[in-house]
Amino acid sequence: MDLIITLSVYLPLSTFPRLFNLTSRVLPLTLDPQLQKKAYKLLPRLASSSNGVVALQSRNKDLQTLFLSSATSTSPPARRDRLLAIAATITHLPPTDLHFIPSVLSEVVIASKEVNEKARSAAFDLLVLMGRKMMAGGTIEQSKIPHMDAGAPRTEASLEEFFTMMSAGLVGSTPHAVSASITALTRVLYEFHSELGSSVIEDLVSTLDLFLTSSNREIVRSCLGFTKVAIVTLPEGIVRPHLTSVVPGLMGWSKEHKSRFRAKVKHIFERAIRRFGFEAVERCCPDDGKKLLQNIRKSKERKKRKRGEAKEAGEEEADEEPRKGRFESEYDEAIYGSEEEDDDDDDSNLASSGDDNIGTKRRSKARNNRPAVGRKEGKGTYIVEDPDEPLDLLDRSALGRITSRQPLSPTTKQRRNNTKAKVDLDGKLVFGPDDDHGDDDDGGDAMAVDSRNDQKEEPGDGTLEGGIHAYMEAIRGKDAVQRGRGGRLKFFNNKRLKKGGGGGGDEMDVDDEMEGRRKEK
C-alpha cells in the first residue's frame, strides 16, 4: 500500500478507477487499522497532482457517500488521515453539494477534542476550510443531510449559516459534545470575527456567558478559552457591555485549583484589565473578588518599579531583538499566551494590571533558565586530558575520559595534595612537625594518602615483588592460620617470643577449645 501511495501521483487517469475501487474496499475494514490509515492517505496524495485533482472532482459524489458510510468504522489511528481526506474532498466540492458539510460537521467538531494533537490541528484546519467554503456561497439541500426530513427546504450557504449549524451542538446530550462545540466555535470565531456581523457575535457571546455558571468543569474549561479569545480579539464595543456578566462568572472559578482554573481566570483578568482598564473591571467585580484584582495590580506595579530601577542602573537588556514565537499559530497564542509576553505594550493600563500567577511564574522561570543564544545548552561535558600526551579519540578507553564534572587544574590538584594527612604503611595517621619535604624525616615509613592512588604503589616495601612476598607470608608464614588433622584450624601464638620469653610458642587448637567449652557447659 505504501508503494501505491508513492506512485499514485505518477499514474495515468485510466488507472484511477482501480485506485478508488481499492480504497472503497479497504476503508470499511476495522480489523486492520494501519491498512485503513494508509487508504485514507491516498486521497490527500492524489490532490497534490493535476491528474489527481481531475479524478477527485469527477468522483466527488462517490467519495461523499463513501465517507458517510465509513464514519462508524473509523479506527482511532486513522482519524487524522480521515480528516485530511475529507479536507481534500471539500476543497473540490461543487457549490451545489454543500450539504456534505453539515453531514460531517458533527464528526469534525468532536475531533477538536481529540487526545492526539495532530488530529486536533487537522480538525481546526478543516473547520476553517468549511467556513471559507460556506462563505464562498452555494446551495445546501437539507433533504440530503442524514436524519433530516425529505421535505426540508433548501438554504443558501453563508458564514452566518455555518455558525448557526455549529451552535446547534451547544444543546448536546453530553458534556463532552457541548465542550467540543464551544471549542470549535472559539476557533472559527477567532478566524472569522472580522467577517461576521455584530448581531451574530453579540448573540454568541451572550449565549456562552451562561455556560460560565455550569457545574461541569469540562464545559467551563472550554468556556474560559472562548472568553479569553473574545476579550483579546472582539471589538471593545461588543465585549464591554458583557463585563457585568462575564466578571462575576469568572470570579466564581477564581478559587478553583483543579485543572489550573485559578491561573486561567487570572490570565483572563489580566487581559481584561489591559484592554478595558482596572476601574472598568473593578466596577463589575463582586466584593469578595476585589482582593484578587488588588493583588494583580500590586504585583504589576512592583514589576514595573523593578524594571525602572534596572533601567536607571543601566542593566536594561536590549529590546530591539525580535521575540521568537513560542506558539505554532496566532490562535494558540491567544488561547495559551500569558500577560507577561506583552509587558511593553499599552503603558496607560500597565500600572493597573498584573501577571503574578501560577502559570506565568512557571513559564517565566523556564525562560530565565533557558540558555542564551550562543551559549551551550544542557549540562557541560568535559574531556579529561593528560598534560603529557594528547587524547587519542580512536582509543576504546577514550570514552572513559569524558565526564560531566569540570576537571581540576594541575594547580588545584597540587594544592589539595599538599594538604593531605600523612599515614604509614599500615594506614595509621602519622603526627609530627610540619615538613615541607614530605616524608624524608620519617625514614620513608610514612607517605601521603594519595600516593597509593596517584603512584599506584603496592603493599610491602612498595614494589610488586614486595607485595607478593607479603601475601605469601600472610598465608604460609609462621603466624598464618593452619589446618591440622581433621581440618581443624590452628593458630601460632608468638606473644612470648615478642616479649623475649623462651620456648617455641604455643599452638592453639580452635576446634578443641570450642569442644571443651561445650563440655563445661
Side-chain angles (χ1 to χ4, degrees):
M1 196 68 184
D2 293 332
L3 185 59
I4 295 175
I5 296 174
T6 304
L7 298 177
S8 60
V9 295
Y10 305 105
L11 297 178
L13 286 174
S14 59
T15 60
F16 282 8
R18 296 183 181 179
L19 291 178
F20 286 115
N21 188 21
L22 176 63
T23 304
S24 62
R25 292 183 179 181
V26 173
L27 290 185
L29 298 178
T30 58
L31 299 179
D32 195 347
Q34 295 298 325
L35 186 61
Q36 188 184 65
K37 180 178 180 180
K38 294 175 182 179
Y40 278 117
K41 286 184 177 182
L42 180 61
L43 297 179
R45 176 68 173 174
L46 291 177
S48 60
S49 64
S50 57
N51 292 337
V53 171
V54 175
L56 290 176
Q57 292 175 352
S58 61
R59 291 185 171 268
N60 200 283
K61 292 185 179 181
D62 297 337
L63 290 175
Q64 296 175 27
T65 305
L66 180 61
F67 283 132
L68 294 177
S69 61
S70 61
T72 58
S73 61
T74 305
S75 58
R79 287 173 184 170
R80 172 180 174 268
D81 296 287
R82 175 180 170 85
L83 294 174
L84 295 178
I86 294 176
T89 304
I90 292 179
T91 302
H92 306 287
L93 195 66
T96 57
D97 293 341
L98 294 182
H99 61 273
F100 179 67
I101 292 179
S103 300
V104 297
L105 182 59
S106 59
E107 178 185 355
V108 181
V109 169
I110 295 297
S112 63
K113 295 284 290 183
E114 280 286 336
V115 178
N116 191 340
E117 182 181 359
K118 294 182 179 181
R120 293 198 308 269
S121 300
F124 288 144
D125 295 340
L126 183 53
L127 287 173
V128 174
L129 178 62
M130 288 179 173
R132 297 193 183 281
K133 199 69 176 180
M134 292 285 290
M135 189 171 56
T139 304
I140 302 175
E141 296 184 6
Q142 299 186 19
S143 59
K144 295 183 179 181
I145 301 175
H147 309 293
M148 291 289 290
D149 295 336
R154 294 182 178 181
T155 307
E156 294 296 327
S158 63
L159 188 59
E160 289 76 9
E161 182 66 21
F162 181 63
F163 272 85
T164 303
M165 295 176 184
M166 296 187 62
S167 300
L170 297 177
V171 294
S173 58
T174 60
H176 184 76
V178 177
S179 175
S181 299
I182 296 175
T183 304
L185 282 170
T186 303
R187 179 65 182 94
V188 294
L189 178 64
Y190 178 83
E191 187 71 25
F192 301 106
H193 68 274
S194 58
E195 286 84 4
L196 279 175
S198 58
S199 59
V200 179
I201 297 177
E202 289 181 358
D203 294 341
L204 189 60
V205 173
S206 302
T207 303
L208 290 178
D209 284 348
L210 302 176
F211 288 97
L212 284 175
T213 59
S214 176
S215 59
N216 188 275
R217 287 187 176 87
E218 186 178 7
I219 296 177
V220 174
R221 188 185 302 113
S222 300
C223 196
L224 290 178
F226 177 87
T227 305
K228 188 172 183 179
V229 169
I231 291 176
V232 172
T233 61
L234 295 184
E236 182 178 346
I238 296 178
V239 182
R240 186 180 288 272
H242 294 278
L243 290 178
T244 55
S245 60
V246 171
V247 174
L250 292 175
M251 279 298 175
W253 295 95
S254 61
K255 298 180 181 180
E256 180 64 46
H257 291 278
K258 290 185 178 180
S259 301
R260 294 184 60 191
F261 277 8
R262 180 180 176 86
K264 293 177 181 179
V265 169
K266 207 165 187 180
H267 284 163
I268 296 174
F269 276 122
E270 291 165 358
R271 295 286 185 171
I273 290 173
R274 172 180 292 275
R275 190 168 190 189
F276 305 108
F278 183 81
E279 292 76 11
V281 178
E282 189 179 22
R283 283 195 300 267
C284 304
C285 181
D287 295 337
D288 57 347
K290 291 184 178 181
K291 184 177 180 181
L292 176 62
L293 299 181
Q294 293 295 337
N295 183 20
I296 294 175
R297 181 175 185 174
K298 290 180 180 179
S299 62
K300 195 61 183 181
E301 290 177 351
R302 188 186 313 114
K303 189 171 183 179
K304 186 178 180 181
R305 184 172 59 254
K306 290 182 179 180
R307 190 189 302 114
E309 294 175 357
K311 289 181 180 180
E312 294 178 359
E315 299 176 356
E316 181 185 7
E317 297 181 357
D319 297 334
E320 292 77 8
E321 298 181 0
R323 186 184 63 193
K324 295 183 178 180
R326 298 190 300 110
F327 303 96
E328 295 182 357
S329 63
E330 295 180 358
Y331 172 73
D332 292 341
E333 185 174 1
I335 288 289
Y336 307 111
S338 64
E339 179 78 7
E340 189 173 270
E341 299 167 3
D342 303 319
D343 281 340
D344 298 332
D345 301 333
D346 198 6
D347 291 337
S348 60
N349 294 328
L350 273 178
S352 58
S353 62
D355 58 343
D356 189 13
N357 54 75
I358 300 174
T360 306
K361 279 185 177 180
R362 291 175 179 173
R363 281 189 290 270
S364 61
K365 185 176 181 181
R367 282 196 295 269
N368 293 335
N369 294 335
R370 191 179 303 164
V373 178
R375 189 181 303 172
K376 187 175 181 179
E377 298 183 2
K379 295 183 178 180
T381 305
Y382 304 93
I383 298 177
V384 181
E385 295 183 346
D386 191 350
D388 298 333
E389 55 181 309
L391 177 63
D392 185 7
L393 297 178
L394 298 179
D395 190 1
R396 294 183 177 180
S397 62
L399 292 177
R401 299 291 189 92
I402 299 176
T403 178
S404 59
R405 299 182 61 182
Q406 186 175 3
L408 300 176
S409 61
T411 306
T412 307
K413 288 184 178 180
Q414 185 177 4
R415 189 183 302 112
R416 289 191 177 184
N417 294 340
N418 292 338
T419 58
K420 297 272 186 171
K422 296 181 179 181
V423 296
D424 57 8
L425 294 177
D426 296 331
K428 298 179 181 180
L429 290 174
V430 176
F431 297 95
D434 296 338
D435 190 0
D436 296 338
H437 298 286
D439 303 328
D440 295 340
D441 295 343
D442 298 333
D445 294 336
M447 64 178 180
V449 174
D450 60 337
S451 62
R452 292 182 181 179
N453 298 329
D454 296 342
Q455 302 175 5
K456 298 184 179 180
E457 295 182 353
E458 302 292 340
D461 58 355
T463 62
L464 179 60
E465 185 178 357
I468 296 175
H469 289 321
Y471 172 73
M472 298 301 294
E473 181 70 20
I475 63 175
R476 294 185 179 180
K478 60 182 179 179
D479 293 335
V481 180
Q482 298 180 1
R483 286 189 178 273
R485 300 176 62 182
R488 296 174 179 177
L489 297 177
K490 293 184 179 181
F491 295 87
F492 181 77
N493 189 358
N494 58 353
K495 291 183 179 180
R496 294 179 182 178
L497 294 178
K498 292 181 179 179
K499 291 181 180 180
D506 297 333
E507 291 183 356
M508 182 175 58
D509 194 331
V510 177
D511 296 335
D512 292 342
E513 184 179 355
M514 294 297 295
E515 291 180 1
R517 290 180 181 179
R518 292 194 192 99
K519 292 179 180 179
E520 292 177 0
K521 290 181 181 180

